[in-house]
Amino acid sequence: MSDLYTLLAFLTAVVVLVLLIARFKVHPVATLFIVVMGLGLVLGMGGTATVELVMEGFGSTLAKVGLLVIFGCVLGKMLELSGAATKITETALRMFAEKRVPWAIALASTVLGIPLIADTAVVMLIPIVSALAYRTGFSMMRLGPILYIGAYVMTSVIPPGPGPLASASLLEVSMGEAILYGLMVGVPGVLVATLYLSRIKTYVPPKPEFVEHLVGAGGPSSGGSGEGPDDTTPGSKVGLFGALLPILAPIVLIVFASLAGPALPEGSWITGTVLFVGEPTVALFLACLLALPLFRGRWRDKETLNDLFESGLRIAAMPLALTGVGGALATIIRETGVAESVAGGIEGIGLSPILIPFLIAAAVCTITGSNILGVMTSAAIMQPLLPSLDLSPLAVYLACATGAQIMKHANSSGFWVTTTLSNMTVGQGIRSIGVASVLSGVTGFVVLYVMHATGLV
């Protein structure tokens, strides 16, 4: 079987994958399964061998990442329902002067984007942001997209977001490195996108249903306090330390274990303890336990201990299925010689290898509308190519994460949630959310490219 045939089969599989999801609206899990099976058959693996490889790749991938995704989704649900996310947002708003409100929202969104999916952050906090827009006179074309973009970038670049979790697992990148370096490429992206959004001149008022309780109680002001809602909001009974602890504790544990573990004496109880609590699955489960006090007396109730966990499991089902089938795709690519053919084609056209995962992730996200699918699919495609392209797994992980931010438009649920709840038209949404997502992804990739060129990754 010639290299040209193998390469054409692979490229055709990628095109079919994108078309089935974007054009024919086939579910991504079914689409990935069809593509994986078809690729194995076309490349001569045979029916039985293809099924065996698919099952092997699916099982081994879920064994690595399954509990991580589940505990990450449960943690996000706990922070949402306890009022912790609202508390963090209100505190950020009180830290900034009124004219700096967009940056306060960006800070809160960036912190909340670590455990929460961006769509959820917008749905939860848009009433607060709308009330702020009404009181301060800021345009919702600024504040709504800023609320979205911080969480969107974090969901794309660092665990426990389901896309980064799956990508890091597929590429065998340690969670400590994924978090540290993900922040290094993600934060500059948020800053540049927020700077762009904060300079938008078009005025869009908040939706009336979010501000009708404020009419007659003091309209748009030119010198208000810049504070968020009053003490009747869900987050008013949650302390800031308690709200931040479940978010920051697993990050500190994982990063500390990753950095300090190798330097500690081998075989000591201290080393064993650090490595145990810093193991990502354990760290995320501990974070869920740390979130229980946020519910105060309700933490013993069935709704908290059982029903809330089931809500997290329902959220985790889709990422888990995608991750497993993505692992099967990586196995098929590795076992059929596709990796060598693709690597040879890249070398032949003289394209810098670091651009490949970035462009694949950008294409998948732009066409399908899903950053999670973008980062996971590109990681699954790139994992078997690593030995041939002379790229570190960390560099590929970061390239997938930055590329998967490009770009949000009318085929994305997050785009529609933010656009409609911010009272914007589709055109205004593309000018704000669409452009901001391109800026965040390109900025992150530029940072990555510099780090790659200097040998940092």
Side-chain angles (χ1 to χ4, degrees):
M1 196 172 295
S2 70
D3 286 347
L4 179 60
Y5 176 84
T6 303
L7 184 58
L8 287 174
F10 170 72
L11 293 176
T12 302
V14 173
V15 171
V16 169
L17 183 148
V18 171
L19 282 176
L20 286 177
I21 295 174
R23 177 69 179 85
F24 298 103
K25 311 302 179 187
V26 180
H27 194 281
V29 175
T31 298
L32 275 169
F33 182 76
I34 293 168
V35 168
V36 169
M37 293 296 294
L39 191 59
L41 294 173
V42 167
L43 293 178
M45 295 296 295
T48 302
T50 299
V51 172
E52 288 176 355
L53 281 177
V54 169
M55 301 303 287
E56 175 190 333
F58 187 91
S60 62
T61 302
L62 285 188
K64 295 177 185 176
V65 78
L67 287 174
L68 281 170
V69 173
I70 289 171
F71 293 150
C73 290
V74 170
L75 176 60
K77 199 67 181 174
M78 295 178 81
L79 294 174
E80 173 191 342
L81 297 181
S82 66
T86 303
K87 181 65 178 182
I88 292 169
T89 304
E90 292 175 353
T91 303
L93 292 171
R94 292 187 176 103
M95 290 169 56
F96 289 77
E98 183 178 292
K99 63 180 180 180
R100 302 294 183 192
V101 159
W103 294 98
I105 294 172
L107 173 62
S109 177
T110 300
V111 173
L112 294 173
I114 297 172
L116 294 179
I117 294 173
D119 302 33
T120 302
V122 172
V123 171
M124 286 177 55
L125 300 175
I126 200 70
I128 295 176
V129 171
S130 298
L132 228 93
Y134 180 80
R135 288 169 174 167
T136 61
F138 276 109
S139 171
M140 284 302 295
M141 193 171 170
R142 290 186 186 184
L143 301 189
I146 288 174
L147 172 62
Y148 178 75
I149 202 70
Y152 174 68
V153 173
M154 290 297 107
T155 302
S156 303
V157 299
I158 67 169
L165 266 178
S167 178
S169 174
L170 286 166
L171 297 168
E172 297 184 354
V173 175
S174 75
M175 292 299 161
E177 285 186 321
I179 292 170
L180 277 177
Y181 287 90
L183 287 171
M184 290 172 67
V185 300
V187 171
V190 174
L191 291 174
V192 171
T194 303
L195 184 62
Y196 163 75
L197 290 169
S198 64
R199 295 178 181 275
I200 289 177
K201 303 296 184 184
T202 305
Y203 179 73
V204 175
K207 288 177 76 71
E209 55 262 42
F210 292 136
V211 296
E212 57 188 8
H213 63 291
L214 300 173
V215 177
S221 67
S222 58
S225 65
E227 294 187 359
D230 58 30
D231 289 340
T232 63
T233 55
S236 59
K237 295 182 180 179
V238 176
L240 180 63
F241 176 78
L244 287 173
L245 186 61
I247 299 174
L248 299 181
I251 294 176
V252 172
L253 291 174
I254 292 168
V255 172
F256 183 74
S258 177
L259 296 178
L264 293 173
E266 207 172 316
S268 73
W269 69 270
I270 296 178
T271 304
T273 302
V274 168
L275 294 178
F276 174 71
V277 299
E279 202 283 325
T281 304
V282 175
L284 278 175
F285 183 71
L286 290 174
C288 293
L289 296 181
L290 290 172
L292 284 175
L294 297 172
F295 293 87
R296 297 181 176 266
R298 293 181 294 129
W299 76 267
R300 302 180 187 87
D301 297 347
K302 174 181 176 292
E303 288 77 9
T304 303
L305 294 177
N306 184 279
D307 297 356
L308 192 148
F309 202 92
E310 287 190 0
S311 297
L313 284 173
R314 284 193 288 271
I315 296 171
M318 172 74 160
L320 282 174
L322 282 172
T323 302
V325 184
L329 175 61
T331 303
I332 291 291
I333 292 173
R334 184 172 56 249
E335 296 294 329
T336 54
V338 169
E340 292 77 7
S341 299
V342 173
I346 293 170
E347 185 178 349
I349 61 178
L351 193 63
S352 174
I354 195 68
L355 282 168
I356 302 304
F358 174 78
L359 293 176
I360 292 174
V364 173
C365 179
T366 301
I367 296 171
T368 66
S370 172
N371 60 319
I372 294 176
L373 189 61
V375 68
M376 290 167 55
T377 304
S378 56
I381 291 172
M382 293 303 300
Q383 188 267 338
L385 306 182
L386 287 174
S388 306
L389 294 180
D390 193 28
L391 289 173
S392 70
L394 178 58
V396 172
Y397 166 80
L398 295 172
C400 293
T402 52
Q405 296 169 42
I406 301 173
M407 71 172 267
K408 302 306 281 186
H409 59 95
N411 62 351
S412 161
S413 61
F415 175 89
W416 282 112
V417 166
T418 309
T419 299
T420 54
L421 294 182
S422 299
N423 207 24
M424 295 188 293
T425 65
V426 173
Q428 290 168 339
I430 291 174
R431 282 173 52 205
S432 55
I433 302 165
V435 174
S437 65
V438 172
L439 289 173
S440 66
V442 170
T443 301
F445 182 73
V446 169
V447 174
L448 166 61
Y449 197 87
V450 171
M451 291 195 295
H452 178 64
T454 54
L456 189 58
V457 295

